[in-house]
Amino acid sequence: MASFVTEVLASSGRLEKEDLGTKINRLSRRVEEVKGEVCDMINKKYDEFLPSMQSAEYLVTQVNNLNKDVDLLKLRIENEVQNDLKVAISEFTELKQQLEKNTIILAVLQQLQEFNSAIEKYNLTLSERNYISAAEHLEKAQSCLKTLKSRKGFELQVLKSLGIELTVQKQNMLYHLGEEWQKMAVWKLPPSKDYSSLEMILKTELHLCALPSTDESRSGPILGSVLQALAILGELNTKLKFFSQLLLNYILKPLVKYPSLHVLVESQPQGVIVRFESMKTELEHPSPPQVFMKLKLVLGLLHKHLLDAPLESQKVLEGNKVVLAEVLGDLIWEEISEAIIKDCLVYSIPTNSSKLELYEEVIKATEEFENTLKGMRYLKGDATELLKYARNVNAHFASKKCQDVIVTARNLMTSEIHNTVKITPESKVTLPKLQSPSGEKVKGQKSPSHEASALENEVKLSPHTFSLPTCRISESVEKLMQLAYQTLSEATASNPPCSIQLFYTVRNIFHLFYDVVPTYHKQNLQKLPQLSAIHHNNCMYIAHHLLTLGHQFRYHLPAPLIDGAATFVDMVPGFRRLGTETFLAQMRTQKEELLDRLSNARSFSNMEDEENYNAAHKAIRQVIHQLSCLGKVWQDVLPVTLYCKAMGTLLNTAITEMISKITALQDISTEDGERLYALCRTMVEEGPLVFTPLPEESKNKTFQQEVPVYVQKWMKFKELMIILQANLQEIIDRWADGKGPIATEFSTNEVKNLIRALFQNTERRAAALARIK
Amino acid sequence: MEEDILTTLKILIIGESGVGKSRTISLHFFNTIGELGSVDFKVKTISVDGNKAKLAIWDTAGQERFRTLTPSYYRGAQGVILVYDVTRRDTFVKLDNWLNELETYCTRNDIVKMLVGNKIDKDNREVDRNEGLKFARKHSMLFIEASAKTKDGVQCAFEELVEKIIQTPGLWESESHNRGVRLSDEAGGRGGTCSGYCSML
């Protein structure tokens, strides 16, 4: 209505001349309609709704009452029914439990009965010596007992005694079976436990009886049945283990170990007897094919008489088929294969590569042996330890060879140094002949030589230009070098992995030398000058060979050696250093000794004094003596040039010491001068005589004349002697304004000092001193 | 008497063993024979064109047998007399070696050289005079032939040599400045068959 008023107002607002009449009519009509609706509404509410409401409420109270009655009734019924139900349930449960109990008892009784019958049958069959079924029955009884025992909360006294009974019966059966077994395989063993000696082993016998001792008709499967029964009882392994141990220790291993042992098989009606006989043989270790043959014989025998028989009867038996040979094989194979490798195959590996091809035979024999064993079912199809070992012969060969080489080398190194051989440029290590790597290369080398001849220098190098000078080296070192050459030529003839191993073994020899020799001979090398000289030569000799050793073999070795890895040149400096260090240490020792002796000469002062002179004289004699001793021990040992250098250096040390002592003197009287001159003359006369590099006395003269060349201060020493005896004018003349010999040997201060010591302070001396500048 | 001396000159006498160095030359000057194994050395004053020079004469006295003379022998020499034996061709052939050694050890390169062919009084001459002359020219050396009987020739030779040295002023005046760098006094140059053998001492 409000909207309507609004509408009206809006329209009036616009002052439009509309028909107000129609609008008012419409309004009143509307009012009438509303009035009717309101009346209708009021009527409905008060006339119709309220009375029905009242009746409905009444009905609700009535339903509620009824409900209460129903509940009450239900409760009562429930109480009564439930009481009855409980009683019924408990009755049923009881009945059920009783039923179950009865069933169980019945089952137990049945099992007990089964057990009983099993035991009875067992007893019966055992007395009939039907071991297989006896064992089966026993097994059955045991399983019965096991099921019985597995029931919990159900302990019967009888079970315990049944258990005991079962154990007794089982032991009884085992005893019987053992008896039978012992009758069939009888060992006669040597009395002592020691089965390492051949005589003891010879007394071993094994009797195998395929037939039972008593003559019964069904003798055939008895052996099989015994073993089978043992298998069923689970005792087969222990029995066979014992048997296999005996077999291994008394038969198989001795056969592998002693080449003289042979198997003797004696057939008897009841079976066979295996015993040994000894046949003389020169072999230290048996050859593999022979060993294989013997082993095959024994194992074949066992197979035939002991293990093969039950096989057929087993086929009848379903399920647990046991291949006895397999069981035995499992037990012995590991040990016997080890023994074969250790005592037989190892020694059969050749020490020389040339014999390597012959080894093919051994490989074949090994394969055959393994195949035979597989045929007898001792071995499973995949066991090939022996063959693998034999096929790997190259590797074994290399390891063995390398081991041998290193051991030999070490023995050489620890042997005496002082057994020597003379090496001259003419002496050569006999080089193994090597094939040229390829024909083409040789041609390639030859063709340029024709052209080169035109360019060739007419002056040729001496054939000994690059050779080691004549000297003495240890015999052992020469052998060591030969060993290295041999091993390398062996390497060139071997297959690649082997030859690489051999090559590095040679390198190891030298590494070993470097470490072992200076350590092992340490004391002697320090103490004995001759040994240090020989050791020096040894090192130089090795270094000399190492220079070319790699090149000689390089093209015959496999990659990567052929590509330049085959070298020993890297070791050369080390060896030279080793040699020089040892020798220089010796030189130092000798030098110290010389200086020590000269220190007793009381600085050569006051030679007028008889005692001083004697001391100095003695010191000089000692020096000469020491030098001549050294000259003797180094004679023919050191190369001549080195000998002269060494002796020269030592003599130089002595005279340098004398020069420095004498030039340092403050005062030299005429008498002093004469005595000093006499001492120096002793040195000059006898010093050269210690130069005896060669054993032939006559040839040493040249070296003694050449002493000034080896002794650096020789001229200075001689000039000193001249000064000791000269007058002032003579000294000035020999100085010759710095152009004379004194000037080349002495400094101005030294000469001035000597002049002051020798001459009294006069004008002439002052004039002379002034000339020295 | 010392004051009027112009200079002291170092003169070497070299050549193969037995060519008569000491005999022919030293004997004429000093009337002594050198001792084997040491450098024989004599001083002699000589007058050339009114100039007095003192000669410090070094004779090897047999040292050449030991293949090499010590470098100190050559050091500072201003003149050298090379001697060969005309009756032995090998001593003439070896002159090359001596020249070589001289060049190696001499501290200066303008050293004055004189070649002496010795023992011309002997009958069995093997080296012709012209040959010697040719060799001397080739190496720009003075040349004479001499014998035990030609003392004057030797005297002449010395005078000629000294004259030549004095005429080369740089040789004797600035001797102390011209030495250059000396690396080592005792550089041992001993050859021989040293192969892989270590030289250690």
Side-chain angles (χ1 to χ4, degrees), chain A residues 126-184:
Chain A
L126 187 61
S127 60
E128 282 172 2
R129 304 186 65 169
N130 189 351
Y131 293 114
I132 294 177
S133 53
E136 274 166 357
H137 289 305
L138 202 59
E139 198 63 21
K140 212 169 167 189
Q142 195 171 17
S143 68
C144 285
L145 195 63
K146 209 172 157 194
T147 12
L148 285 174
K149 274 187 178 164
S150 65
R151 294 177 193 283
K152 279 179 186 167
F154 202 77
E155 273 96 28
L156 274 173
Q157 280 297 313
V158 71
L159 283 187
K160 267 189 196 165
S161 49
L162 283 181
I164 292 166
E165 172 66 17
L166 186 68
T167 321
V168 169
Q169 289 304 330
K170 194 170 173 183
Q171 292 311 318
N172 183 25
M173 168 129 192
L174 285 178
Y175 172 75
H176 278 278
L177 289 175
E179 289 277 285
E180 292 285 352
W181 171 248
Q182 261 168 21
K183 271 185 219 156
M184 283 180 285

Side-chain angles (χ1 to χ4, degrees), chain A residues 306-445:
Chain A
L306 204 58
L307 310 170
D308 198 31
L311 270 175
E312 290 160 41
S313 61
Q314 272 165 28
K315 279 173 189 162
V316 189
L317 294 161
E318 82 290 350
N320 55 345
K321 254 198 263 179
V322 179
V323 182
L324 288 164
E326 226 170 70
V327 178
L328 190 64
D330 277 348
L331 286 170
I332 61 170
W333 180 241
E334 199 179 317
E335 270 195 69
I336 194 68
S337 59
E338 207 173 280
I340 291 174
I341 290 170
K342 224 170 70 186
D343 289 327
C344 171
L345 285 181
V346 167
Y347 299 108
S348 71
I349 285 168
T351 46
N352 201 308
S353 63
S354 58
K355 291 183 196 151
L356 215 50
E357 281 170 29
L358 298 175
Y359 201 71
E360 200 55 41
E361 213 173 288
V362 176
I363 296 177
K364 241 183 231 163
T366 313
E367 196 172 4
E368 209 181 283
F369 177 64
E370 283 194 337
N371 283 340
T372 317
L373 291 196
K374 278 176 201 164
M376 291 194 278
R377 304 190 70 173
Y378 280 111
L379 274 183
K380 286 174 192 140
D382 53 350
T384 53
E385 283 94 339
L386 287 184
L387 190 60
K388 244 186 244 162
Y389 185 87
R391 284 231 173 104
N392 220 357
V393 62
N394 281 323
H396 299 307
F397 164 71
S399 333
K400 186 178 180 181
K401 181 82 199 168
C402 295
Q403 206 178 330
D404 289 352
V405 166
I406 289 287
V407 169
T408 318
R410 200 177 184 287
N411 286 340
L412 286 174
M413 287 170 206
T414 52
S415 62
E416 293 294 349
I417 294 181
H418 59 64
N419 296 330
T420 57
V421 284
K422 195 161 190 165
I423 295 293
T424 62
E426 283 79 20
S427 62
K428 280 175 186 158
V429 173
T430 43
L431 284 181
K433 291 239 163 132
L434 295 171
Q435 290 181 331
S436 71
S438 69
E440 286 172 43
K441 274 192 183 168
V442 178
K443 277 182 195 164
Q445 282 163 350

Side-chain angles (χ1 to χ4, degrees), chain A residues 208-211 220 223-224 227 243 265-268 270-272 274 295-312 324-325 328 375-378:
Chain A
L208 289 176
C209 307
L211 305 169
L223 181 58
L227 292 171
F243 179 75
V265 181
E266 227 173 90
S267 286
Q268 288 185 343
Q270 291 186 353
V272 286
V274 179
L295 291 181
K296 267 194 277 188
L297 182 65
V298 173
L299 291 174
L301 209 67
L302 280 179
H303 185 253
K304 194 172 153 199
H305 292 277
L306 204 58
L307 310 170
D308 198 31
L311 270 175
E312 290 160 41
L324 288 164
L328 190 64
M376 291 194 278
R377 304 190 70 173
Y378 280 111

